[in-house]
Amino acid sequence: QALIPSRPHPVWICTGGCKTSLVPSTDKPTLRVSTYAMALRQVLSQAAVALRVQHNPYSHLVLRSLSRPYSTPVPTDRVYAESHEWCKTVDGVATIGISDFAQSELGDVVFVDLPEVGADVAKKETFGVVESVKAASDVYSPVSGEVLEVNTELTSTPSLVNSSAFEDGWMMKVKLSDPSELDSLLDGTAYAKSIEA
């Protein structure tokens, strides 16, 4: 905005209606830098809000957390799918859930959707959904067969998937239709190496 002198002395009037003091000088008057700096800061602040730009002061902690290797022991009494489901078989019945590594990546679990008892599931096909505060993720069956039982405790306490992924957080029990499918799954040692990579 143009500045219009109102008198020969160094008091100038802004065309926007505001007064801006100048430093007396025989040279061209110079506006105080702080006046424009404050105005510029306000404009940039409003622009940032409009664009919903946010600064996370804890981003270095997040990056440090992501770079920390997974160190929780992986049980060796079961087998694992590359999609992070585990399968523990006793007398032709497989108990299935997601690994502790998977739940740690998902974050706090708030909802678990499971199949109906009596439903048929197929290897590598979706059988349910796990919803966390971060995202909703499909869960895949590592084997084929008939659903004999589902963990109804997860309906009221989905956080069991976080607190006890390998035990109380199991999801379903399946009567195997093809036990040979277990041969293509990873043992505990191989799975542990895969999540360390």
Side-chain angles (χ1 to χ4, degrees):
Q1 292 179 326
L3 296 175
I4 305 171
S6 60
R7 62 191 71 181
H9 299 291
V11 175
W12 290 60
I13 300 175
C14 173
T15 55
C18 59
K19 283 191 175 182
T20 305
S21 298
L22 302 174
V23 179
S25 172
T26 54
D27 299 327
K28 290 184 178 180
T30 304
L31 285 170
R32 289 181 180 177
V33 174
S34 60
T35 301
Y36 277 112
M38 290 176 64
L40 180 60
R41 184 181 304 169
Q42 184 176 7
V43 170
L44 292 177
S45 177
Q46 292 173 346
V49 172
L51 294 172
R52 295 183 179 178
V53 176
Q54 296 181 347
H55 170 63
N56 179 9
Y58 305 108
S59 59
H60 65 289
L61 297 179
V62 175
L63 293 174
R64 184 179 301 172
S65 175
L66 292 175
S67 64
R68 185 183 297 118
Y70 180 76
S71 59
T72 301
V74 173
T76 57
D77 62 347
R78 62 202 71 192
V79 289
Y80 302 82
E82 292 180 354
S83 51
H84 306 294
E85 293 82 13
W86 57 264
C87 176
K88 184 177 181 179
T89 306
V90 178
D91 297 330
V93 176
T95 301
I96 295 166
I98 66 171
S99 71
D100 190 66
F101 173 79
Q103 70 80 19
S104 69
E105 292 292 296
L106 284 170
D108 294 338
V109 175
V110 296
F111 176 75
V112 180
D113 181 35
L114 298 174
E116 297 288 336
V117 172
D120 291 325
V121 294
K123 183 175 182 177
K124 294 185 178 181
E125 295 294 327
T126 302
F127 73 82
V129 175
V130 175
E131 184 175 337
S132 72
V133 294
K134 294 181 180 179
S137 301
D138 290 330
V139 189
Y140 299 88
S141 180
V143 293
S144 302
E146 178 187 354
V147 178
L148 299 180
E149 186 180 352
V150 295
N151 189 352
T152 56
E153 290 295 318
L154 297 182
T155 302
S156 58
T157 316
S159 59
L160 286 173
V161 174
N162 297 119
S163 62
S164 185
F166 288 126
E167 298 297 337
D168 297 335
W170 64 275
M171 295 181 177
M172 67 175 180
K173 294 185 179 181
V174 174
K175 182 179 180 180
L176 298 177
S177 60
D178 184 3
S180 65
E181 290 179 336
L182 296 170
D183 298 336
S184 61
L185 299 175
L186 303 172
D187 62 23
T189 301
Y191 179 71
K193 289 182 178 178
S194 73
I195 59 179
E196 289 173 358

